[in-house]
Amino acid sequence: MAGCLAAAALLAACAQAPLRGTGDLGVVVERAAGRLQLVETTGARIIGQVPGLGDLSHASVVYSRDGRYAFVFGRDGGLTKVDLLRQAIEKRIIQAGNSIGGAISQDGRMVAAANYEPGGLKVFATDTLELLADIPATYGDGKKSAKVVGVADAPGNRFVYSLFEAGEIWVADLSDPKRPAVSKFRNIGKEPYDGLITPDGRYYMAGLFGEDGIALLDLWNPAAGVQRVLDGYGRGQEKLPVYKMPHLRGWAVAGTHAFLPAIGRHEVLVVDTVGWKESARIPVHGQPVFVMARPDGRQVWVNFAFPRNDTVQVIDAPSRRVVQTLKPGKAVLHMEFTPRGEQVWISVRDDDRVVVYDTASFASLKELPADKPSGIFFTTRAARIGF
Amino acid sequence: MTDFAAKLVLSLLAAGLAAQAPAAPAPAPGRAAQILNMVRQDCGSCHGLTLKGGLGPALLPQTLKGKDALSLKSTILYGRPGTPMPPWKPFLSDAEAEWVVEQLVKGLPDGR
């Protein structure tokens, strides 16, 4: 209150901002404009904008454990801490030449950025963005550097990630941030393009681009090494050209099965997470990009790569059948469920809008204007392992 | 196009032919905008929106300098086997791919 009385401007600001939680907040990335739209899912509305975030192509976002701060990773190597309540940038640093994404540690004190250039992982303090650890992704003779992809947090303040050119999975234990302990798993397969960790934090899976299969690491038993699952799922058939790399995240797991994009095929692969055997493959409209389970695991929503990217399909998880085909518009890039999944927000880049659907009736509930929207990230991610 | 303008274009083309390989004819404005959007947004998924690189290499004038235009065009049309670069032939004609190379080499107009 003393702060509010200090200046008239502050008084006005305080008067306009009643106390509120952040559990129903989120951001929509406007990638070309370098701006975030701040959104509230309860009212399905835009509550503000935060500009000045640089090059946001392929931007991704993780949240502080209190759900107040968004950490935004930009293509230009920018790491920006955004305060959702003050609707302002708290701090912004350029930490690399080219970045792909990041993760936040189990204890919430560290945020890790996965970088393409220079290839490696950098770990920062979430409160100050001070650099805590720098782990270059060197491989081979130690002179080559790989692009880091698919970083996920694991229990024990560990970060797990893959090295694209090297075909390796690294587990960095940052229990002591000053002395990171890195375990390296080599020859895991050709060109891992992204990774995910199961919602229980036990299994890390890296999808392979250079061959048909998934590299699987059991973090409860790392001594057993990396095993191959869905090996040769293409059965030797030539794959189609891939116009957009698929993405993997922990939401691919619905109940006891993981639903995964097949590379270069119009298929979603289903694997059981007990025996890690293929249990089905589901024909879909195009090459899947995001395959995302609704939070209850009953439905799995899929969007597709260029040029079939005007469509979203819904798979009924128990019957493994496509039960709905939607046409949200031109260039669907991302989907995000509300915390308990009654709605899904879908970004439609070339139509400059976000469409909100009811996941039970599939009715389109609302459209929000956004400039070339890409990723949508809600604060529910703050409390989930692997996000 | 007026008769005079047509003659001017022809003589410019002839001059161009004498100096170097002819410039690819620019697509009609609507199509050009569509192609530039595709280059920025869809090529941008791997090469970055500002084309400074990502999973794929940078496509900026300084990085393309000295590279053979014909081989750049065939990379666009036919992809690069053994890498994630796919063939864009289903979406671009030969002349359009050539035009894209020209745009990339001189720097893409800011068309977002």
Side-chain angles (χ1 to χ4, degrees):
Chain A
M1 184 50 81
C4 290
L5 295 172
L10 275 178
L11 179 63
C14 292
Q16 282 164 11
L19 290 175
R20 67 159 301 154
T22 61
D24 60 351
L25 298 186
V27 303
V28 174
V29 174
E30 294 180 310
R31 63 184 207 160
R35 186 172 51 206
L36 296 183
Q37 296 267 9
L38 305 188
V39 297
E40 182 218 76
T41 53
T42 303
R45 65 194 181 103
I46 295 165
I47 59 166
Q49 282 89 22
V50 178
L53 281 89
D55 178 359
L56 293 181
S57 41
H58 206 288
S60 68
V61 174
V62 300
Y63 285 99
S64 62
R65 63 196 264 148
D66 61 5
R68 173 169 177 178
Y69 298 98
F71 294 89
V72 185
F73 306 91
R75 178 67 96 185
D76 56 3
L79 169 57
T80 313
K81 181 178 179 181
V82 174
D83 185 339
L84 298 186
L85 293 179
R86 287 194 308 112
Q87 305 192 355
I89 291 175
E90 179 91 357
K91 183 148 193 190
R92 172 171 166 80
I93 59 171
I94 300 292
Q95 55 85 27
N98 202 324
S99 183
I100 184 70
I104 199 153
S105 64
Q106 184 179 36
D107 66 5
R109 295 176 193 278
M110 294 175 284
V111 58
N115 294 326
Y116 277 178
E117 183 53 49
L121 191 82
K122 281 190 180 172
V123 183
F124 301 88
T126 44
D127 52 357
T128 61
L129 298 189
E130 175 205 352
L131 180 68
L132 298 175
D134 182 359
I135 309 170
T138 48
Y139 69 102
D141 57 8
K143 295 194 188 94
K144 286 188 283 190
S145 167
K147 298 183 187 86
V148 170
V149 298
V151 62
D153 62 283
N157 283 322
R158 290 178 295 173
F159 295 107
V160 191
Y161 50 98
S162 300
L163 278 61
F164 180 76
E165 291 87 348
E168 298 184 6
I169 293 174
W170 289 13
V171 182
D173 183 334
L174 281 110
S175 309
D176 178 358
K178 292 208 166 54
R179 283 184 307 167
V182 182
S183 314
K184 302 174 184 179
F185 297 84
R186 299 203 163 92
N187 301 315
I188 60 112
K190 203 170 161 229
E191 294 173 336
Y193 64 87
D194 201 3
L196 71 85
I197 204 156
T198 50
D200 57 7
R202 175 168 180 180
Y203 295 101
Y204 178 79
M205 305 167 82
L208 302 175
F209 181 81
E211 51 191 308
D212 293 337
I214 303 272
L216 178 78
L217 177 62
D218 180 356
L219 294 165
W220 290 8
N221 185 17
V226 170
Q227 56 169 304
R228 182 67 61 88
V229 299
L230 293 174
D231 198 21
Y233 62 74
R235 294 174 182 140
Q237 295 161 350
E238 183 135 353
K239 67 184 179 196
L240 302 166
V242 176
Y243 293 99
K244 183 166 174 64
M245 283 283 176
H247 288 66
L248 301 173
R249 288 280 103 174
W251 51 60
V253 179
T256 54
H257 289 81
F259 291 70
L260 302 164
I263 292 275
R265 293 169 208 290
H266 295 186
E267 284 175 347
V268 168
L269 307 171
V270 188
V271 58
D272 85 83
T273 57
V274 181
W276 294 103
K277 296 276 180 278
E278 175 182 325
S279 48
R281 45 181 72 199
I282 304 167
V284 288
H285 172 77
Q287 294 183 38
V289 175
F290 283 100
V291 179
M292 305 173 67
R294 199 171 67 176
D296 64 350
R298 175 71 201 266
Q299 295 173 347
V300 175
W301 289 57
V302 188
N303 76 325
F304 303 98
F306 174 89
R308 304 177 75 95
N309 54 355
D310 64 342
T311 298
V312 165
Q313 287 190 313
V314 185
I315 295 166
D316 174 61
S319 65
R320 293 165 191 169
R321 286 204 340 263
V322 171
V323 291
Q324 190 71 30
T325 299
L326 301 166
K327 300 274 181 194
K330 196 158 174 274
V332 171
L333 288 197
H334 197 211
M335 305 171 284
E336 180 84 333
F337 293 97
T338 49
R340 300 196 184 191
E342 81 287 359
Q343 291 173 0
V344 64
W345 290 40
I346 295 179
S347 59
V348 190
R349 183 193 70 204
D350 287 355
D351 289 345
D352 295 308
R353 60 195 161 106
V354 169
V355 186
V356 181
Y357 285 95
D358 181 312
T359 62
S361 69
F362 305 112
S364 158
L365 300 175
K366 197 158 180 177
E367 291 185 5
L368 304 170
D371 180 4
K372 298 268 179 289
S374 54
I376 306 174
F377 304 88
F378 295 155
T379 54
T380 15
R381 291 169 177 250
R384 289 187 65 179
I385 293 172
F387 288 85
Chain B
M1 193 183 287
T2 66
D3 204 40
F4 171 74
K7 275 183 186 145
L8 183 67
V9 166
L10 278 175
S11 62
L12 284 174
L13 273 176
L17 272 171
Q20 54 184 90
R31 175 63 182 156
Q34 199 181 17
I35 294 173
L36 288 177
N37 185 58
M38 185 174 87
V39 172
R40 275 207 182 278
Q41 304 291 338
D42 295 302
C43 303
S45 338
C46 279
H47 297 279
L49 263 187
T50 56
L51 303 175
K52 64 174 283 191
L55 198 61
L59 300 178
L60 299 170
Q62 57 267 35
T63 49
L64 297 178
K65 206 175 163 198
K67 291 215 162 53
D68 179 45
L70 196 63
S71 93
L72 291 175
K73 184 177 86 173
S74 31
T75 298
I76 293 175
L77 287 174
Y78 304 105
R80 214 173 250 199
T83 78
M85 177 68 183
W88 293 81
K89 203 170 163 26
F91 315 106
L92 290 173
S93 72
D94 199 84
E96 285 169 346
E98 200 171 318
W99 182 76
V100 168
V101 170
E102 280 167 21
Q103 304 311 303
L104 290 172
V105 165
K106 65 180 190 206
L108 227 54
D110 187 20
R112 41 169 216 90

